[in-house]
Amino acid sequence: MPRRKKPAQVYESHRMYYGWIIDPANSLPIDEVLAVFMQAPHTYTCEDVVEIQCHGSFLVLQQILGIITASNARLAEPGEFTKRAFLNGRLDLTQAEAVLELIEARTDVGRSLAAGQLQGRLYEQISAIQERLVAMRAMIEVAIDFPEDETDILDAAALQKQLGTEVEGPLETLIARAEEGKIYREGISAVILGRPNVGKSSLLNTLLEEDRALVTHIPGTTRDTIEEFVNIKGMPVRIVDTAGIRNTSETVEEMGIQRARAKLADADLVLFMLDATVPLTEEDRSLYSTIRQSRKHQKVLLVLNKIDITSGTSPDQYRAGLGNEELVAVSAKLHTNISQLKERIFSLITGSPKGAGWEPGTAVIPNVRHKDALKKGLAACRRIKQGLDINISPDLLAVDIQSALDHLGDIVGETTPEDVLDMIFERFCIGK
Ligand SMILES: Nc1nc2c(ncn2[C@@H]2O[C@H](COP(=O)(O)OP(=O)(O)OP(=O)(O)O)[C@@H](O)[C@H]2O)c(=O)[nH]1
Ligand SMILES: [Mg+2]
């Protein structure tokens, strides 16, 4: 603890103390700080915690950490605080995951979903389903213990109905939510492709509202891919600016073009950019057919740029040469029709008509890991129903009930294997 004028013998829990950190090696002051001792169990990890609030200088932090580690402490591993909170039962696994999501959220919608999960909304829904299954398991166990009364105890039709409404239904709803909420949680990726000089980097800058990428009148300016997140109606969209694609003998430019093509493969959406000051060129056509050949079902939006300069070609003439894809006419330079472009991107991805963004409200959106376990839980539930159909022995029903329970237990961290836990907490940064 920091040195105070009158060092206390006992530090009160959850009380701020003011003082100085003094270097024990030479008794020189390091920083003026506030420190708080928090006694278990009312702490983040449920263990005793000391927090020191110093000035945010790298050197000060390094020196204080040096003193602390010299007295037999060690640095926490990534996510260790949250992992301890989880292992000590203060958070379930979905809440622990929500901490990471809260830190990494890129839009308000994402942040709000993470906050809801941190409050335990997903956990509550999973626990409710678990309780139902436990009650059903109890009934089946009675049937196992008193086989002669089995027909009286196990009303197969009633049990099937109960499974449908109390387990299957809620599981299906959660799986559907995971699908529809995925884009808000993980975002999508949109790659801007087009000939050199059509204004790809200008569009990235306009969408970002900052001069991120270099823009010049010289074709071949962008040599590497540049990626930044843009918030489009609550949906995090990774926009990838690429090197203009053309035949070139220049090695660096050619490497950039290769990267641009590679980005095409993992994009959800291609913003195919055209230059309104010239008619459609042969290069445009061949680039378009490359895109279509490589990913037949990929979404493509034609972006006709530089409409501030009038030309003799109508938007429909460009579309006619490019598979009649949807087209938005913009001026990246003058920011014309940019909100319309965002609307089109949003509706193309979400499939919802243009208009309102998504309101998270009190929605619960399971992540990919949860969805996987929910699907396995649902499959087990369906096996139970089929088993009841053909009157299988209660012992076998109990096995499937247990399997459904285990999959739900994986979500909240009750039965999650150690390696999965490690994978989750390794994604955290140090100090969380
Ligand atoms: N008039 C007009 N000029 C634009 C517009 N958008 C971009 N430009 C100009 O077009 C030129 C090329 O713009 P960039 O954004 O560098 O084009 P690019 O597609 O990234 O080019 P490469 O990186 O070389 O492939 C620059 O001189 C821009 O100022 C626009 O909407 N209107
Ligand atoms: Mg560029």
Side-chain angles (χ1 to χ4, degrees), residues 191 225 227 238 240 242 258-267:
V191 59
T225 53
E227 309 193 2
R238 179 160 22 97
V240 187
T242 61
Q258 288 309 331
R259 287 198 179 178
R261 290 185 197 279
K263 286 291 167 190
L264 174 63
D266 39 58

Side-chain angles (χ1 to χ4, degrees), residues 233-305:
K233 290 167 158 278
M235 179 170 78
V237 180
R238 179 160 22 97
I239 304 275
V240 187
D241 175 27
T242 61
I245 297 182
R246 62 172 169 183
N247 282 328
T248 176
S249 54
E250 229 222 282
T251 319
V252 180
E253 191 179 345
E254 176 54 30
M255 285 165 72
I257 292 173
Q258 288 309 331
R259 287 198 179 178
R261 290 185 197 279
K263 286 291 167 190
L264 174 63
D266 39 58
D268 301 292
L269 172 70
V270 179
L271 300 174
F272 186 60
M273 203 160 204
L274 303 161
D275 184 340
T277 63
V278 291
L280 200 64
T281 69
E282 222 15 76
E283 274 178 315
D284 290 326
R285 287 177 209 275
S286 88
L287 187 52
Y288 174 77
S289 66
T290 311
I291 294 169
R292 269 297 166 231
Q293 274 159 21
S294 67
R295 293 283 304 275
K296 293 201 171 50
H297 305 293
Q298 199 162 36
K299 289 177 174 137
V300 175
L301 183 60
L302 305 178
V303 183
L304 183 63
N305 188 32

Side-chain angles (χ1 to χ4, degrees), residues 40-100:
H42 300 295
T43 66
Y44 186 70
T45 56
C46 290
E47 295 162 358
D48 285 350
V49 172
V50 173
E51 279 183 17
I52 298 172
Q53 301 182 9
C54 59
H55 290 105
S57 138
F58 178 71
L59 278 178
V60 167
L61 287 169
Q62 209 179 26
Q63 287 212 28
I64 297 177
L65 276 178
I67 295 171
I68 296 170
T69 48
S71 35
N72 251 343
R74 67 163 171 84
L75 291 181
E77 314 224 325
E80 187 170 350
F81 289 100
T82 309
K83 188 174 187 180
R84 283 177 184 240
F86 161 68
L87 292 174
N88 290 326
R90 198 181 73 82
L91 303 173
D92 83 292
L93 194 53
T94 67
Q95 290 174 305
E97 287 173 299
V99 172
L100 181 64

Side-chain angles (χ1 to χ4, degrees), residues 8 21 23 28 72 81 97 116 140 146 152 160 169 187 215 240 245 258 268 282 346 350 356:
I21 299 280
D23 189 343
L28 291 174
N72 251 343
F81 289 100
E97 287 173 299
I140 289 171
F146 303 99
D152 304 334
Q160 276 181 325
V215 167
V240 187
I245 297 182
Q258 288 309 331
D268 301 292
E282 222 15 76
F346 183 81
T350 60

Side-chain angles (χ1 to χ4, degrees), residues 195-202 214-222 241-244 305-306 308-309 330-334:
R195 283 187 290 112
N197 228 32
V198 291
K200 298 178 294 299
S201 302
S202 304
L214 215 61
V215 167
T216 76
H217 64 280
I218 305 160
T221 303
T222 307
D241 175 27
T242 61
N305 188 32
K306 310 196 188 182
D308 51 298
I309 299 175
V330 303
S331 165
K333 193 169 178 176
L334 304 186

